Amino acid sequence: MNMPKKNHEDIQKQQALLNGLLQECLKYSFKEALEEWDQNASLEQHNVVTLAKSSFTSTGLITLSSYDFKMVMVLYFDMTKPLREFVVNINHDKAENIFNDSIINDYVMEMCNGLGGRLKRYLQATSYAFGMSTPNLVARNQFILSDIAEFDFNSHIKCDVTSSQASEPLHFGLSLFSMVNNIQRFEDRFKEVNFNRLQDDNAVGALEMF
């Protein structure tokens, strides 16, 4: 028996549902990562429609891929004085290293690693043969991913962090560009992901860092 085709309204509802779930996945991943970087920092998160016109100058990229989908996670940031202070202070590094771009860039790539590892843990229940790339930093004016590929879902959040380790708040953007082979199967499996259980479940094991 053939399944009835979904009309345009049903497809829009399905896309909105999945996009909302992916945004929640981004929020949980960033919240968990921040708690590891600075347990005393405060965090405000907002869903946004796009980050295409945001003023961030730099991006960190990680690719997540499986049998059923390919995703590109993008962390947007600025190489500002507060970010430099944050990195140097939480690492108990020498004050003069605030001007060392190599140290700051290395830490941002570790931030990307941590975020990618958490996304992988949340998403690996939706498919098999799951892999994650190493992080790569790209100048914002070179980031044209959204121009060269058509994605099924573009999920975006903004994250504002207030920390005693920086003189001013830190601002980040986080995007997940997703191409899904079987949207219905992905939805059915993703709706079963329990973010709170994964946060508290010690049996999950350590995150796999690349």
Side-chain angles (χ1 to χ4, degrees):
M1 180 178 177
N2 293 329
M3 295 293 292
K5 289 186 178 180
K6 292 187 175 182
N7 59 37
H8 182 67
E9 183 178 351
D10 289 337
I11 292 173
Q12 285 186 319
K13 288 180 179 179
Q14 183 182 48
Q15 289 178 329
L17 170 65
L18 276 171
N19 193 57
L21 289 171
L22 289 168
Q23 285 177 317
E24 286 302 303
C25 192
L26 289 174
K27 286 181 177 179
Y28 272 94
S29 296
F30 193 93
K31 179 177 180 291
E32 276 192 345
L34 178 62
E35 289 172 352
E36 183 175 303
W37 307 331
D38 181 1
Q39 290 185 341
N40 298 316
S42 61
L43 172 65
E44 290 187 10
Q45 296 178 307
H46 312 278
N47 292 342
V48 293
V49 175
T50 180
L51 288 166
K53 296 183 179 180
S54 62
S55 60
F56 295 108
T57 57
S58 301
T59 58
L61 280 68
I62 274 186
T63 300
L64 302 146
S65 58
S66 76
Y67 180 82
D68 285 320
F69 59 78
K70 179 177 182 179
M71 298 178 174
V72 179
M73 184 208 79
V74 183
L75 176 69
Y76 302 82
F77 66 98
D78 292 308
M79 191 69 79
T80 57
K81 180 183 176 183
L83 177 62
R84 293 175 181 273
E85 292 171 341
F86 181 79
V87 171
V88 168
N89 288 334
I90 63 176
N91 285 300
H92 307 290
D93 216 328
K94 297 178 181 178
E96 58 264 29
N97 282 337
I98 195 172
F99 303 108
N100 190 322
D101 287 351
S102 178
I103 289 176
I104 308 302
N105 286 335
D106 284 348
Y107 190 78
V108 171
M109 285 196 288
E110 284 305 313
M111 293 170 70
C112 290
N113 249 341
L115 289 166
R118 285 167 173 81
L119 282 171
K120 179 181 177 182
R121 184 170 66 166
Y122 286 134
L123 293 167
Q124 63 187 0
T126 66
S127 187
Y128 59 91
F130 206 115
M132 186 177 90
S133 74
T134 54
N136 186 29
L137 297 185
V138 181
R140 180 62 188 278
N141 59 6
Q142 298 297 316
F143 177 60
I144 56 173
L145 182 65
S146 58
D147 296 330
I148 60 176
E150 183 175 346
F151 294 89
D152 297 302
F153 304 100
N154 301 325
S155 310
H156 314 279
I157 63 171
K158 291 186 74 174
C159 303
D160 302 319
V161 177
T162 302
S163 169
S164 61
Q165 306 301 321
S167 59
E168 297 177 25
L170 304 168
H171 305 288
F172 299 94
L174 194 59
S175 294
L176 194 62
F177 297 90
S178 309
M179 291 182 286
V180 181
N181 180 42
N182 187 317
I183 293 177
Q184 186 60 59
R185 180 168 59 196
F186 180 75
E187 176 189 348
D188 292 341
R189 293 176 178 174
F190 196 24
K191 284 192 297 187
E192 297 177 0
V193 174
N194 185 323
F195 296 110
N196 290 317
R197 184 188 65 77
L198 284 177
Q199 283 183 308
D200 300 332
D201 190 356
N202 293 326
V204 171
L207 293 174
E208 185 176 358
M209 306 297 282
F210 292 80

